[in-house]
């Protein structure tokens, strides 16, 4: 498998350096801790929002650092949790009088690293809280997790808490908003192909050419089942129906709808999937008020997609509509 890579051991470091060099006025790179942070951080007048997980999910999370979203991202290597000391040093560098909120996708290694780092920081009288994100409806427990996995729905939590922090909300209120958004967010994904980590050079798992993985995790974890390839409309139905039924979302609800590419899916295909999902929701009396189509939380080069719904109220809608200035630029 061909990749743009030098030494695989340096892949994450070189990627982070590139992100910082492309955004010199807004981002700062701290190589000792794999840290991308806001150039103006920490700010005394706002809660610092920190997210982290393994690399390989870009633009999550290092490319979501900036005004109105994250204050810092502290990734590990590809699909690996960051070391506890990296997270601990990140908390110290981002410590604000208003506190630090850690966002953690619900994977065992990530939670362990962030919770241990929180304990170390609290021992130095730094105010820290941790919010776990678990939007994936595919399975209740899976490889690397205790409970549901955190997947593309993390974007909405980052966006809402980042906007609230930018407004000057205190730590308790920012945490409340994050819990609220997570509670009304549901996601399910599907894989057409496996992904290929740079250090491995071959697909992470075996998926026959005529099969799909329904409910795949963003690290290639198994989902609900494997079955033969289906037409696009049938695939959308296999994602949408479990998501709608889980909360459940019902007639009269207003929602944000995201169709997220997993790294190797053309944008045209994502819009095709979105069209089917939009029509199906409209038939059920569910109003789509905000739409997101593109790559938000990927799995390297995996061909596939995930579908996310967020039930909106006035507060969440306003926070999602707040402007953000991050490394992903729209011209």
């Amino acid at each position: 498998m061909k990749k743009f890579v030098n030494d695989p051991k340096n892949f994450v470091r070189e990627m982070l350096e590139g992100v910082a060099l492309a955004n010199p006025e807004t981002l700062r790179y701290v190589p000792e801790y794999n840290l991308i942070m806001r150039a103006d951080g920490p700010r005394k007048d706002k809660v610092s929002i920190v997210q982290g997980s393994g690399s390989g999910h870009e633009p999550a999370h290092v490319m979501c650092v900036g005004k109105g979203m994250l204050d810092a991202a502290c990734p590990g290597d590809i699909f690996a949790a960051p070391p506890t000391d990296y997270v601990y040093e990140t908390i110290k560098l981002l410590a604000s009088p208003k506190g630090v909120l850690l966002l953690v996708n619900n994977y065992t290694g990530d939670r362990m690293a962030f919770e241990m780092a929180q304990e170390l920081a609290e021992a130095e009288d730094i105010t820290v809280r941790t919010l776990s994100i678990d939007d994936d409806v595919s399975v209740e427990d899976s490889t690397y997790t205790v409970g549901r996995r955190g997947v593309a729905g993390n974007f909405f939590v980052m966006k809402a808490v980042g906007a609230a922090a930018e407004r000057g909300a205190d730590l308790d209120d920012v945490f409340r908003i994050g819990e609220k958004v997570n509670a009304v967010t549901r996601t399910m994904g599907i894989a057409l192909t496996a992904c290929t980590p740079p250090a491995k050079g071959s697909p992470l798992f075996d998926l026959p050419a005529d099969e799909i993985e329904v409910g795949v995790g963003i690290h290639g974890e198994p989902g609900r089942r494997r079955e033969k390839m289906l037409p696009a409309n049938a695939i959308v139905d296999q994602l949408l129906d479990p998501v709608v039924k889980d909360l459940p979302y019902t007639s009269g609800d207003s929602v944000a709808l995201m169709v997220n590419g997993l790294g190797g899916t053309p944008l045209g295909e994502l819009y095709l999937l979105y069209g089917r999902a939009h029509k199906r929701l409209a038939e059920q009396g569910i109003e789509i008020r905000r739409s997101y189509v593109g790559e938000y939380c990927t799995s390297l080069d995996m061909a596939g997609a995930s579908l996310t719904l967020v039930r909106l109220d006035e507060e969440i809608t306003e926070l999602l509509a707040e402007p953000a200035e991050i490394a992903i630029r729209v011209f």
Side-chain angles (χ1 to χ4, degrees), residues 115-278:
E115 289 167 2
M116 291 176 64
Q118 177 179 345
E119 291 180 7
L120 292 171
E122 288 176 334
E124 297 190 26
D125 295 323
I126 299 172
T127 303
V128 190
R129 296 191 71 174
T130 299
L131 175 64
S132 182
I133 301 166
D134 58 355
D135 55 301
D136 189 359
V137 308
S138 301
V139 287
E140 291 294 338
D141 289 283
S142 68
T143 311
Y144 309 122
T145 66
V146 178
R148 290 186 168 183
R149 304 178 293 217
V151 286
N154 71 60
F155 170 85
F156 295 100
V157 178
M158 285 190 288
K159 182 67 185 69
V161 300
E166 206 69 47
R167 290 178 173 183
D170 63 26
L171 182 57
D172 286 343
D173 200 35
V174 172
F175 184 87
R176 174 193 65 80
I177 288 166
E179 280 196 316
K180 178 181 178 180
V181 174
N182 184 61
V184 295
T185 302
R186 299 289 188 273
T187 301
M188 187 165 171
I190 197 161
L192 308 185
T193 70
C195 53
T196 302
K200 191 171 187 291
S202 60
L204 190 61
F205 58 94
D206 178 47
L207 184 60
D210 63 342
E211 293 186 2
I212 55 178
E213 181 80 37
V214 181
V216 70
I218 56 174
H219 307 98
E221 304 96 329
R224 292 186 172 189
R225 63 187 177 278
R226 285 189 178 183
E227 58 182 63
K228 296 299 182 181
M229 183 63 185
L230 297 166
N233 285 353
I235 288 176
V236 172
D237 295 347
Q238 295 227 16
L239 297 178
L240 185 62
D241 291 345
V243 168
V244 169
K245 293 174 182 176
D246 191 85
L247 193 61
Y249 301 86
T250 59
S251 178
D253 281 347
S254 296
V255 300
L257 167 61
M258 172 188 283
V259 174
N260 167 64
L262 294 178
T265 305
L267 190 57
E269 293 180 26
L270 297 179
Y271 273 100
L272 185 154
L273 300 176
Y274 175 88
R276 171 68 172 183
H278 187 111

Side-chain angles (χ1 to χ4, degrees), residues 95-124:
S96 161
K98 299 197 73 167
V100 179
L101 177 63
L102 306 177
L103 302 179
V104 186
N105 291 334
N106 191 32
Y107 296 93
T108 302
D110 294 315
R111 289 189 59 171
M112 184 179 301
F114 275 76
E115 289 167 2
M116 291 176 64
Q118 177 179 345
E119 291 180 7
L120 292 171
E122 288 176 334
E124 297 190 26

